[in-house]
Amino acid sequence: MKNLISFMTRIPLKGDFEKARQGIWAFPLLAVITSALSTIILYFNVPLKNILAVLLLYFTVGLLHLDGLADFADGIMAKGDRERKIKAMKDLNTGIAGIFAVVMILFVQVYSLSYTPFYALFLAELNSKYAMVLALSTKKPLGEGLGAYFMEAVSRKQLLLATMIYTLLLVPFFLYEWRTVISVLGFLIGAYIIKLSLDNFGGLNGDCIGAVAEITRGGTLLILAFIWWYL
């Protein structure tokens, strides 16, 4: 777990990069750590809690996935064949599509937290991390970057363990508040982004996986906001 925390967060722990990919099964457990500071802020209902919660989230996880979302959006919105889309995604310059995607995902998260219970960000992070596991389990790497490196290590056993942990972490919330069951729909958004990546690029790289993480989290919060508003 220490190796995974070292690689997937900004927490200053020394870890083994090679061993980190052997801990993919523990991705859902990371949600407990990455959402902890934000959840505390939301629980105590401090001033500007929404903005502070999102800032603390990215202070913990870093901006790598957010950068991946920007590149992913540039690739998806590029006109032309698959090769042109991949070229746009790998371009070092961020286009207007990427900027728009980042601004929107930040806005959705900050605004949605106005209507959700304090533990909503944890549920969103849980979906986000599990969606990343599913993205890696596709075993369809695009190129030879970090995405491909982690995909090589994913096994059925790791996927099964991740699924069990994901389910066990959700059950207490389902028993406490029936509306949290709807949070599972946010995970379907992540599944759609995986499909979108495969359709447009023919595989997934680190940028695609980052987009899966960000959009799944934002989508889950948006769904929960609607549920808490109407129910």
Side-chain angles (χ1 to χ4, degrees):
M1 191 67 181
K2 181 182 74 171
N3 300 305
L4 202 58
I5 293 172
S6 174
F7 177 71
M8 293 293 293
T9 74
R10 296 183 67 255
I11 297 173
L13 288 177
K14 291 184 178 180
D16 188 314
F17 180 72
E18 174 63 29
K19 291 181 180 179
R21 68 175 188 163
Q22 302 302 324
I24 292 172
W25 59 270
F27 268 37
L29 284 174
L30 279 176
V32 178
I33 298 169
T34 56
S35 65
L37 291 177
S38 300
T39 301
I40 291 171
I41 291 294
L42 293 168
Y43 177 77
F44 285 105
N45 199 29
V46 303
L48 301 176
K49 63 177 182 179
N50 302 9
I51 296 175
L52 289 175
V54 172
L55 286 175
L56 285 172
L57 172 69
Y58 287 108
F59 176 79
T60 304
V61 302
L63 302 177
L64 184 62
H65 297 327
L66 206 58
D67 180 64
L69 170 63
D71 293 337
F72 171 84
D74 284 338
I76 288 294
M77 295 303 292
K79 293 183 178 180
D81 57 18
R82 180 172 291 175
E83 286 70 27
R84 184 166 295 183
K85 288 178 175 291
I86 293 173
K87 183 178 179 181
M89 180 169 61
K90 292 184 176 181
D91 193 328
L92 295 178
N93 297 311
T94 302
I96 187 63
I99 295 172
F100 178 79
V102 169
V103 170
M104 284 305 298
I105 205 68
L106 291 174
F107 173 78
V108 165
Q109 290 178 103
V110 170
Y111 190 73
S112 296
L113 288 171
S114 301
Y115 299 95
T116 54
F118 73 92
Y119 50 81
L121 191 57
F122 167 74
L123 295 174
E125 262 293 271
L126 186 58
N127 274 351
S128 174
K129 294 298 185 284
Y130 184 62
M132 290 177 69
V133 176
L134 285 191
L136 292 169
S137 68
T138 61
K139 294 283 191 176
K140 292 186 177 181
L142 180 64
E144 299 180 353
L146 283 176
Y149 183 72
F150 271 76
M151 282 184 191
E152 291 176 358
V154 179
S155 63
R156 290 184 178 179
K157 181 179 179 181
Q158 291 219 53
L159 179 58
L160 178 61
L161 284 172
T163 303
M164 291 173 62
I165 293 170
Y166 172 76
T167 304
L168 288 173
L169 289 173
L170 278 178
V171 168
F173 292 93
F174 292 172
L175 296 176
Y176 174 72
E177 169 57 70
W178 69 269
R179 288 179 291 183
T180 58
V181 174
I182 310 298
S183 69
V184 176
L185 293 178
F187 160 71
L188 297 180
I189 295 175
Y192 174 73
I193 300 303
I194 293 172
K195 182 180 184 302
L196 202 61
S197 299
L198 295 174
D199 291 344
N200 282 269
F201 309 122
L204 293 93
N205 62 4
D207 291 332
C208 298
I209 295 168
V212 168
E214 291 295 326
I215 297 174
T216 300
R217 186 194 312 114
T220 300
L221 287 174
L222 188 60
I223 289 170
L224 288 174
F226 273 112
I227 295 303
W228 251 259
W229 174 266
Y230 287 108
L231 299 180

